[in-house]
Amino acid sequence: IYFFNRNLPLLSLLDLGTPVNISYFWNFGSLLGLFCGVQIFSGVLLSMHYQNSIEMAFFSVNLSIQNEVFLGWFFHNVHSSGASFFFVFLYCHLFRGLYYGGFNQINIWMSGVTILLFSMALAFLGYVLPWGQMSFWGATVITNLFSAIPYVGEDVVHVLWGGYGVAGPTLNRFFSLHFLVPFLMVMVAFFHVFIFLHVKGSSNPLGGPINQFLKIEFFPYFVVKDFFGIYLIFFVFFYFCLLNPRLLLDSENFIEANSLVTPVHIQPEWYFLSSYAILRSIPNKFGGVVALAFSVLFFYFFPFFFQNLYNNSFFNNNNVKFYFWFWLSSAIVLCYVGASPVEYPWVSIGIVFTFFYFSGFFFLLF
């Protein structure tokens, strides 16, 4: 039974026909929607007190907002910790789609990967705004990567900087984009959920044709399931917000940006560490940028290369399952390597596991 009303897409969320056998792995989508709303709400409140100038940005975040604004410390902790929680659920949602063959639904998958790219851009832009040491040098390193583009690379970098180095115009640009990109991401998320998902229907652990499985109404059965997941997650989330808000942050970023002092070890936030390890494992700058881009963009190719390989890996042959966990383990090791110093043996380990990361993709392909 398929309960879908094309004229009322928002109300269809309640009576959407949903496969009866979906598990708690399907809760990550609702958690992503919730934390997206949390991030936008807390970000708008913080933007009212943030001063986007290189003289005042650091002090407006670490002094004014956290000490002088009513509940400013709380909304700052919610926003900073919420970014990490958002990426945890985003990666879990992505890996669940890979494992259970969610990429067979092309429109849903492609829009989801686009949301991933928007989220990564948004996180990088937001990380620069506190204007600490790691913010400044992270912006310097990442924006310099665009100089690897043939012919126009240097011009692109100067446009991003607004001059000949990371300075005030760069901060203004990043603040404007950080405020704009979430609304573009919400628009893509609307298409992802209400246009593509509600027309095609949700996948399920058994795989196969969607309309061959028994469906029940989303409300109240799966609404209760989602709220139970939200209830548990918020205990963990408020532990970070209220009791340990600095655990997921880099201590270097509590030092004001100084272009004359380079941190001993420049590293991004944890959710970019695997991509950063791939970047620094390639000795050639252009090759490193290509590998970095392909490490994310290759998700776009799954519906075209692997659609006929399996409906879902859980009930398929052991080779598919082996290469999935092989690839995922390589990504986890690269996260640890990205947080380690650029010295032996981490350089060698990064090169080896970069090869493993991409070989898992090509083994599945061939």
Side-chain angles (χ1 to χ4, degrees), residues 8 11 16 18 37 40 44 52 64 84 99 130 140 149 157 161 202 204 253 259 279 282 287 299-300 306 315 344 360:
L8 298 172
L11 294 180
L16 175 69
T18 307
I40 291 176
V44 169
N52 60 325
S64 177
S84 293
Y99 191 75
T140 303
I149 302 174
V157 172
W161 286 346
S202 177
N204 62 89
N253 225 33
S259 60
L279 171 68
I282 309 295
F299 290 118
Y300 275 119
F306 303 139
F315 288 97
Y344 181 83

Side-chain angles (χ1 to χ4, degrees), residues 166-184:
V166 176
T170 314
L171 186 63
N172 289 333
R173 281 164 164 73
F174 282 21
F175 177 66
S176 299
L177 291 173
H178 187 65
F179 202 90
L180 174 64
V181 171
F183 299 102
L184 298 176

Side-chain angles (χ1 to χ4, degrees), residues 132-138 141 250 252-253 255 257-267:
Q133 272 287 72
M134 203 57 69
S135 297
F136 175 84
W137 288 102
V141 170
D250 196 315
E252 285 282 350
N253 225 33
I255 303 173
N258 187 347
S259 60
L260 302 178
V261 179
T262 307
V264 176
H265 178 49
I266 300 175
Q267 68 179 56

Side-chain angles (χ1 to χ4, degrees), residues 107-184:
N107 290 333
I108 299 174
W109 181 261
M110 300 294 273
S111 59
V113 176
T114 304
I115 293 173
L116 170 64
L117 294 179
F118 272 127
S119 302
M120 297 179 79
L122 185 60
F124 166 67
L125 295 170
Y127 191 58
V128 178
L129 298 186
W131 206 244
Q133 272 287 72
M134 203 57 69
S135 297
F136 175 84
W137 288 102
T140 303
V141 170
I142 298 302
T143 52
N144 263 302
L145 296 179
F146 289 94
S147 64
I149 302 174
Y151 303 112
V152 298
E154 294 293 336
D155 295 329
V156 171
V157 172
H158 291 157
V159 169
L160 290 173
W161 286 346
Y164 296 98
V166 176
T170 314
L171 186 63
N172 289 333
R173 281 164 164 73
F174 282 21
F175 177 66
S176 299
L177 291 173
H178 187 65
F179 202 90
L180 174 64
V181 171
F183 299 102
L184 298 176

Side-chain angles (χ1 to χ4, degrees), residues 183-243:
F183 299 102
L184 298 176
M185 189 176 72
V186 168
M187 181 180 67
V188 178
F190 179 86
F191 279 88
H192 180 71
V193 176
F194 293 108
I195 305 300
F196 300 138
L197 178 64
H198 283 198
V199 170
K200 189 71 175 178
S202 177
S203 61
N204 62 89
L206 293 176
I210 294 172
N211 292 324
Q212 291 184 4
F213 295 95
L214 176 64
K215 295 183 178 182
I216 57 177
E217 292 175 308
F218 188 81
F219 178 84
Y221 306 105
F222 296 103
V223 170
V224 171
K225 206 169 189 177
D226 283 342
F227 271 102
F228 179 70
I230 292 170
Y231 177 76
L232 294 180
I233 290 300
F234 260 69
F235 272 105
V236 182
F237 179 60
F238 280 110
Y239 164 77
F240 281 95
C241 292
L242 301 176
L243 299 178

